[in-house]
């Protein structure tokens, strides 16, 4: 169409909607570009690719390379159609969707010449969208107010911690003074105790040495007596025959002492001197000898119990069937056994070191001083620990206004199909399989890791448990606004790298003020 068009014709051809509040423009043109479409002049393609008579605008033929001459038809493949969507949000759609039978614009303006029965639903949609937006704004406002109290609480905790630190420092100083005092008392008490104990030790060693010497002499006397007893002819030497003459050495209880049995006790020699007997022979013979002499009376069945330090009883020379004779074996007399045990116990009791009264008094005083020092020392160490933990906590960054501080000490959980995840802010992130196996440490509190302009929108928990054939585990926590602090999701985008989503009022900013004029923006705003 090349004719010069009258304005009224333009209105018809271009399909402009005439409304009091609107600027007249061809169909599909956004308000901000209305001035480029002046029906009294030729139209300049918006990309400068050409100039055409205004009548070519929306004539269903694509003249401009950028499609700007056909805003209201589907003629240009790269053009855009603008729907005003009065009552809701304006929209730009690819011009290929104009009159394609699908309702894209809620005001139905994209289907002005199609058979589809699109109706204007913008008002209802707009109302619903505004209601939703208002609800979200309200939530945001609620979150913002909660954030204010989080800030207040955080600052209060910080101040209290500062006070507590001062208090603890004073307490620590006092406790250190007490500890030093107790240390002096302890040293003073330990000096005389040390001297007394050394003295006691010397006396004790002497006493023990005497006991040992007495025992040795007694053992030797016992050995000499036994030797004399076994040495039938008194020639100072024990022979095979002399041992054979004593049933004592009938190890296998067959009624006679074989040469083999006798030689066993003579250490496979023909004879044994008194000297060898005292140093080693007696040790072998003593159990059977005493068994016969003191503890047992025939018949017995059980071999004599061994006294500590003695050699085991000799092997039984099983050269004959001895089952019948078993009945003639010796029997242990329990009373004798108990008597011997009692004797041994008494001996041990007697040997138990007991301090003399004066030494004991010094030991008691020193013990008491040590206990008091230990207690004072423990108190100092407890205070140091408490102080360190508070100071460490004070050094952490709890957000620009201390708003995150109240989250410390709490843990938040999220459970998916396989795991329960736990986030304890400023402490750690944990993964626990639902199957009940042990926990996996995903990371320890590291740092704020949001982008420069929004640093407090992300937290990083790093240095978690090593991943098999992979990095050490870490958890990235994305934080967004909500009216309660809650872990809303956890994913593992890369193996052993976890992404947590934490909702909290701590990041809720104040919603923009909306006045009546601005809110009516929805009905008029053009993109
Ligand atoms: C465990 C879990 C998983 C992780 C694998 C890596 O099963 O910690 O999240 O992907 O180890 O081996």
């Amino acid at each position: 169409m090349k004719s010069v068009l009258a304005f009224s014709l333009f209105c018809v051809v271009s399909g402009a909607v005439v409304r009091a509040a609107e600027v007249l423009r061809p169909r599909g043109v956004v308000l901000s570009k209305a001035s480029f479409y002046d029906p009294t002049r030729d139209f300049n393609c918006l990309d400068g690719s050409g100039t055409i008579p205004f009548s070519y605008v929306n004539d269903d033929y694509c003249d401009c390379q950028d499609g700007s001459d056909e805003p209201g038809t589907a003629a240009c493949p790269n053009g855009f159609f603008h729907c005003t969507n009065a009552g809701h949000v304006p929209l730009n759609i690819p011009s290929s969707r104009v009159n394609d039978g699908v309702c894209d614009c809620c005001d139905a303006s994209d289907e002005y010449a199609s058979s589809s029965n699109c109706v204007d639903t913008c008002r209802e949609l707009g109302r619903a969208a505004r209601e939703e937006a208002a609800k979200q704004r309200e939530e945001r406002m609620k979150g913002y107010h909660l954030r204010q109290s989080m800030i207040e609480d955080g600052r209060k905790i910080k101040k209290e911690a500062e006070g507590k630190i001062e208090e603890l420092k004073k307490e620590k100083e006092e406790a250190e003074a007490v500890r030093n005092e107790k240390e002096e008392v302890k040293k003073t008490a330990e000096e005389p105790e040390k001297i007394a104990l050394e003295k006691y030790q010397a006396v004790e060693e002497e006493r023990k040495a005497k006991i040992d010497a007495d025992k040795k002499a007694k053992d030797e006397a016992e050995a000499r007596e036994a030797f004399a007893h076994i040495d039938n002819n008194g020639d100072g030497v024990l022979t095979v025959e002399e041992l054979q003459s004593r049933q004592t050495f009938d190890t296998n209880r067959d009624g006679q002492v074989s040469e083999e049995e006798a030689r066993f006790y003579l250490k496979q020699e023909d004879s044994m001197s008194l000297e060898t007997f005292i140093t080693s022979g007696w040790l072998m013979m003593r159990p059977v000898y005493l068994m016969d002499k003191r503890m047992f009376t025939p018949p017995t069945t059980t071999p004599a119990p061994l006294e500590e330090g003695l050699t085991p009883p000799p092997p039984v020379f099983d050269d004959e069937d001895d089952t019948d004779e078993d009945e003639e074996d010796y029997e242990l007399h329990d009373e004798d056994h108990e008597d011997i045990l009692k004797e041994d116990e008494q001996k041990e009791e007697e040997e138990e070191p007991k301090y003399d009264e004066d030494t004991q008094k010094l030991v008691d005083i020193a013990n008491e001083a040590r206990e008091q020092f230990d207690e004072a020392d423990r108190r100092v160490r407890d205070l140091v620990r408490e102080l360190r933990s508070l100071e460490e906590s004070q050094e952490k960054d709890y957000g620009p206004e201390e708003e995150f501080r109240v989250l410390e000490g709490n843990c938040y959980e999220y459970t998916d199909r396989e795991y329960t995840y736990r986030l304890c802010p400023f402490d750690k992130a944990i993964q626990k399989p639902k199957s009940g196996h042990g926990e996996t440490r995903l990371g320890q509190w590291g740092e704020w890791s949001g982008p420069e302009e929004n640093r407090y929108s992300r937290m990083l928990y790093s240095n978690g448990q090593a991943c098999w054939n992979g990095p050490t585990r870490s958890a990235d926590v994305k934080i967004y606004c909500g009216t309660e602090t809650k872990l809303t999701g956890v994913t593992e985008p890369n193996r052993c790298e976890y992404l947590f989503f934490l909702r909290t009022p701590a990041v809720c900013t104040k919603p923009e003020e909306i006045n009546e004029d601005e809110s009516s923006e929805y009905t008029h705003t053009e993109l």
Side-chain angles (χ1 to χ4, degrees):
M1 255 180 269
K2 310 256 158 115
S3 62
V4 177
L5 293 175
F7 182 69
S8 59
L9 183 62
F10 153 70
C11 288
V12 175
V13 173
S14 308
V17 179
V18 184
R19 277 176 57 163
E22 288 184 12
V23 177
L24 294 175
R25 56 202 195 269
R27 190 195 300 278
V29 172
V30 61
L31 179 62
S32 58
K33 287 179 184 163
S35 60
F36 298 115
Y37 296 83
D38 183 349
T40 62
R41 293 189 192 145
D42 284 349
F43 176 69
N44 294 315
C45 301
L46 295 185
D47 63 354
S49 60
T51 301
I52 52 168
F54 193 80
S55 58
Y56 289 14
V57 172
N58 278 345
D59 67 348
D60 210 15
Y61 182 85
C62 195
D63 296 292
C64 297
Q65 279 174 18
D66 63 351
S68 55
D69 62 315
E70 295 298 316
T73 76
C76 295
N78 53 344
F80 280 96
F81 178 86
H82 177 82
C83 16
T84 314
N85 286 348
H88 193 25
V89 184
L91 191 66
N92 288 325
I93 58 169
S95 47
S96 59
R97 295 191 190 168
V98 172
N99 291 326
D100 65 348
V102 178
C103 316
D104 295 292
C105 299
C106 65
D107 62 3
S109 60
D110 60 316
E111 298 299 318
Y112 59 89
S114 86
S115 54
S116 66
N117 293 320
C118 296
V119 288
D120 187 342
T121 55
C122 288
R123 282 197 185 282
E124 295 91 275
L125 288 177
R127 192 178 310 116
R130 279 191 295 280
E131 272 170 21
E132 179 56 30
K135 213 170 103 193
Q136 279 188 15
R137 190 176 178 281
E138 211 174 285
E139 286 282 288
R140 200 167 188 86
M141 191 54 118
K142 206 166 144 197
Y144 171 73
H145 286 306
L146 287 169
R147 177 178 192 269
Q148 298 313 109
S149 53
M150 286 172 92
I151 292 173
E152 229 172 81
D153 291 350
R155 287 184 173 151
K156 203 165 133 209
I157 298 172
K158 182 178 183 184
K159 209 154 174 220
E160 276 168 10
E162 277 163 6
K164 181 84 185 157
I165 285 176
E166 285 316 304
E167 205 178 287
L168 283 176
K169 276 184 180 163
K170 258 189 230 137
E171 271 182 55
K172 194 187 111 194
E173 254 171 51
E174 283 163 19
E176 277 168 349
V178 172
R179 184 195 59 189
N180 295 346
E181 219 172 81
K182 300 283 179 194
E183 193 169 20
E184 278 312 307
V185 174
K186 180 174 88 99
K187 274 187 196 155
T188 312
E190 279 176 339
E191 255 167 57
E193 181 204 40
K194 186 171 172 244
I195 295 166
L197 282 179
E198 276 168 3
K199 209 168 112 196
Y200 172 80
Q201 216 108 27
V203 172
E204 187 60 14
E205 265 161 33
E206 213 174 280
R207 189 178 76 89
K208 277 198 180 136
K210 190 171 175 309
I211 290 171
D212 286 350
D214 287 354
K215 185 169 183 307
K216 204 174 161 216
K218 198 176 149 225
D219 287 350
E220 194 175 318
E222 187 186 58
R224 281 177 190 281
E225 191 191 324
F227 188 90
H229 187 234
I230 303 165
D231 181 15
N232 291 339
N233 60 8
D235 65 351
V237 171
L238 299 186
T239 61
V240 173
E241 294 75 34
E242 280 168 335
L243 261 64
Q244 278 186 302
S245 71
R246 301 200 169 265
Q247 280 307 114
T248 303
F249 302 111
D250 176 15
T251 319
N252 65 5
R253 312 290 185 216
D254 66 350
Q256 57 188 5
V257 182
S258 69
E259 194 176 323
E260 210 184 348
E261 285 170 327
R263 275 186 191 281
F264 171 79
Y265 290 100
L266 295 179
K267 301 170 91 177
Q268 307 304 336
E269 299 288 339
D270 292 337
S271 61
M272 185 179 275
S273 67
L274 173 61
E275 200 189 346
T276 312
F277 183 79
I278 290 171
T279 54
S280 56
W282 174 231
L283 275 179
M284 291 169 76
M285 292 183 221
R286 192 171 183 266
V288 286
Y289 185 85
L290 289 184
M291 200 195 300
D292 278 1
K293 193 163 176 257
R294 292 185 53 199
M295 297 164 55
F296 296 85
T297 49
T300 63
T301 50
T302 319
L306 274 183
E307 280 186 32
E308 220 184 313
L310 295 183
T311 47
V316 171
F317 302 109
D318 201 7
D319 49 3
E320 279 176 40
D321 181 10
D322 59 356
T323 43
D324 292 346
E325 281 140 283
D326 273 352
E327 280 163 26
E328 285 183 35
D329 278 354
Y330 299 106
E331 249 177 39
L332 174 66
H333 281 216
D334 284 348
E335 315 85 68
D336 287 340
H337 193 198
E338 276 166 20
D339 282 350
I340 296 254
L341 284 179
K342 251 185 231 158
E343 259 174 48
D344 285 348
E345 268 170 30
Q346 272 163 11
K347 259 189 228 157
E348 266 174 30
E349 262 172 36
E350 277 163 23
E351 282 166 18
E352 186 81 7
K354 274 247 158 51
Y355 300 133
D356 58 86
E357 209 178 306
D358 290 344
T359 308
Q360 188 61 51
K361 221 178 260 169
L362 292 172
V363 169
D364 289 346
I365 291 170
N367 277 345
E368 171 67 19
R370 273 188 287 271
E371 263 172 40
Q372 287 206 13
F373 167 75
D374 287 346
E375 199 187 312
D377 190 46
R378 226 175 1 253
R379 168 118 183 91
V380 172
R381 277 184 286 126
D382 286 349
L383 285 167
V384 168
R385 206 175 312 116
E386 201 180 338
L387 202 51
R388 198 186 308 130
S389 125
L390 264 179
E391 279 171 343
E392 270 172 16
S393 176
Q394 287 298 79
E395 279 159 21
K396 284 184 195 162
D397 180 354
Y398 293 105
E401 297 180 90
E402 299 293 319
E403 64 271 43
F404 291 96
R405 190 182 271 261
V406 287
L407 302 187
E408 192 173 44
N410 295 317
C411 294
Y412 305 92
E413 288 195 348
Y414 175 81
T415 302
D416 68 10
R417 239 169 3 103
E418 250 185 288
Y419 304 103
T420 291
Y421 291 91
R422 191 161 66 242
L423 177 71
C424 309
F426 305 101
D427 184 9
K428 63 191 172 187
I430 299 282
Q431 178 194 53
K432 196 171 161 49
K434 276 160 105 181
S435 57
H437 288 103
E439 293 184 341
T440 306
R441 250 183 324 101
L442 303 185
Q444 280 163 304
W445 163 238
E447 60 193 349
W448 291 104
S449 56
E452 210 178 309
E453 71 283 1
N454 200 5
R455 220 158 67 81
Y456 298 93
S457 62
R458 262 173 126 129
M459 286 171 156
L460 182 66
Y461 291 77
S462 47
N463 276 325
Q465 260 165 259
C467 182
W468 190 74
N469 256 351
T472 52
R473 286 175 172 79
S474 63
D476 184 4
V477 182
K478 271 191 164 182
I479 309 169
Y480 58 103
C481 165
T483 51
E484 64 171 325
T485 303
K486 201 173 167 187
L487 204 53
T488 56
V490 177
T491 60
E492 192 180 345
N494 296 307
R495 203 160 67 91
C496 296
E497 285 175 20
Y498 303 84
L499 184 58
F500 283 50
F501 296 90
L502 181 72
R503 193 150 70 186
T504 175
V507 291
C508 293
T509 49
K510 193 172 184 180
E512 301 270 306
E513 291 290 337
I514 300 179
N515 57 39
E516 246 329 286
D517 285 352
E518 281 169 342
S519 71
S520 64
E521 227 182 4
Y522 284 112
T523 50
H524 300 296
T525 304
E526 303 271 359
L527 287 180

